[in-house]
Structures are given as C-alpha cells and as structure tokens.
Amino acid sequence: MTLLARLASDVQLMFRRPPRQQYAALCYRVKKKTSDVEVLLLTSRDTGRWVIPKGWPMDGRRSYEVAAREAFEEAGVRGTVENQTLGSYSYPKVLKNGLKVTCKVQVYALEVSEIARNFKEKGERKTDWVSCDEAVKRVHEPELRNLFLQFKRRMTEQLAARSPRQIPAE
C-alpha cells in the first residue's frame, strides 16, 4: 500500500470512527465546618493540563465502577460513587500511534471519604482540591466547565435543603 493510499485510508477512518467512550469521576468533598464544596483536579500525564480522573471501559465493570477505579488509580481517592451520570463532555485525544480521536466522557459524582497514601499513579500527576469556580478556570473543555457549574448549583441546593432553618425569635 502506498503512503498516499494509507493516508487516505486513515483520513476515512478518522471521519467514520464514532467517538471513543470513557468514564470519569467528578470527585468532591464537603468541608465539615464551612460546608464549602471542593472538587479534585489532577494533571494529565502527557500535557499537564488540569483534568478529572477518567479511563476506558473495563470488561465486567459498570461505567460508574470504572470511574471510581480510575479515581483511585490516578488520584488515590475512594468514596461513594453515584450510579447515575452527571452528564458528559468531549475532548480530542491523541493516541499512542499518533491518531487523533474524539473521546466522549460520561461523568459520575464521587463523594470522597478516603485519601490513600499510596496508589498506582502516585508521583505521576499533581492533584489539587479547588472550588467549582476555580475548576472552571483551570479546565480547557467547555462542556466540562459546564458540568462543574451544574454540579455547583446542585450542591448549593442540596446543602441549603440540609441546613436547619432559622426560626425568628418572637
């Protein structure tokens, strides 16, 4: 096969190929004293941009289980993962062979209850606990920014519903 024919074939594949599916965890914690919500960001290993833990589907695991596993492997966090998706976002990924593909990422909320000292990718990434507003400033993908904003609204409503109502004194 000539180089030109191979390039033409690769281009056809790129346009025909559906987005690759990944699963991610939006890891969060609520500070006990202030009720402030913090989300966990980590750097990607290749470009160093701020992302959330994500990975490819795994045989025998549900999508939210994959998200929880990736959160542990990439950031050393464990907790309670929701089985309903918060939403999704897309981003361009360059595979090891140099091919660019679009990845569609389903995102699941994971309330962190434990942070491990040792985990698979320790030392390969930076992690940072930030507000949802700060996360919006750091991530590149517009749809992921929107997910952080939606999550902030949801958590604000949930926390307001939990807090005791003040009864005015007579």
Side-chain angles (χ1 to χ4, degrees):
M1 184 183 275
T2 69
L3 181 60
L4 194 56
R6 177 150 183 236
L7 281 172
S9 172
D10 284 352
V11 168
Q12 277 185 324
L13 277 175
M14 283 191 313
F15 288 114
R16 225 179 30 211
R17 182 173 286 141
R20 303 282 181 97
Q21 184 68 59
Q22 290 188 311
Y23 304 114
L26 191 158
C27 305
Y28 72 98
R29 64 186 181 189
V30 180
K31 292 184 139 190
K32 285 186 172 73
K33 289 183 181 176
T34 62
S35 292
D36 290 342
V37 175
E38 292 181 320
V39 293
L40 181 66
L41 292 180
L42 52 121
T43 55
S44 66
R45 289 188 294 186
D46 52 358
T47 64
R49 72 187 198 290
W50 291 104
V51 297
I52 58 176
K54 64 183 167 302
W56 302 105
M58 297 177 192
D59 286 339
R61 291 189 192 270
R62 292 188 162 93
S63 53
Y64 60 90
E65 294 170 330
V66 171
R69 181 174 175 145
E70 292 298 330
F72 182 71
E73 287 182 2
E74 295 181 7
V77 296
R78 286 194 174 108
T80 305
V81 65
E82 296 177 5
N83 61 11
Q84 296 296 312
T85 182
L86 284 174
S88 63
Y89 71 97
S90 300
Y91 77 101
K93 180 168 183 68
V94 179
L95 300 177
K96 286 181 180 147
N97 64 8
L99 188 64
K100 287 183 182 175
V101 296
T102 298
C103 289
K104 186 171 175 86
V105 186
Q106 284 183 330
V107 181
Y108 297 87
L110 186 150
E111 185 170 11
V112 174
S113 57
E114 177 187 340
I115 302 174
R117 289 179 192 255
N118 293 304
F119 51 95
K120 187 175 179 182
E121 296 183 18
K122 183 178 179 159
E124 295 179 31
R125 304 168 183 271
K126 289 183 209 165
T127 59
D128 202 4
W129 287 99
V130 299
S131 68
C132 287
D133 290 335
E134 180 62 24
V136 167
K137 291 177 190 172
R138 290 194 193 182
V139 299
H140 294 281
E141 299 81 9
E143 295 165 309
L144 181 54
R145 288 182 187 137
N146 288 337
L147 283 177
F148 278 117
L149 292 172
Q150 289 172 10
F151 184 71
K152 178 185 173 184
R153 282 192 298 272
R154 180 184 114 173
M155 292 304 294
T156 301
E157 290 169 9
Q158 280 183 5
L159 293 169
R162 270 195 230 163
S163 65
R165 304 271 183 252
Q166 296 293 321
I167 300 170
E170 293 187 21

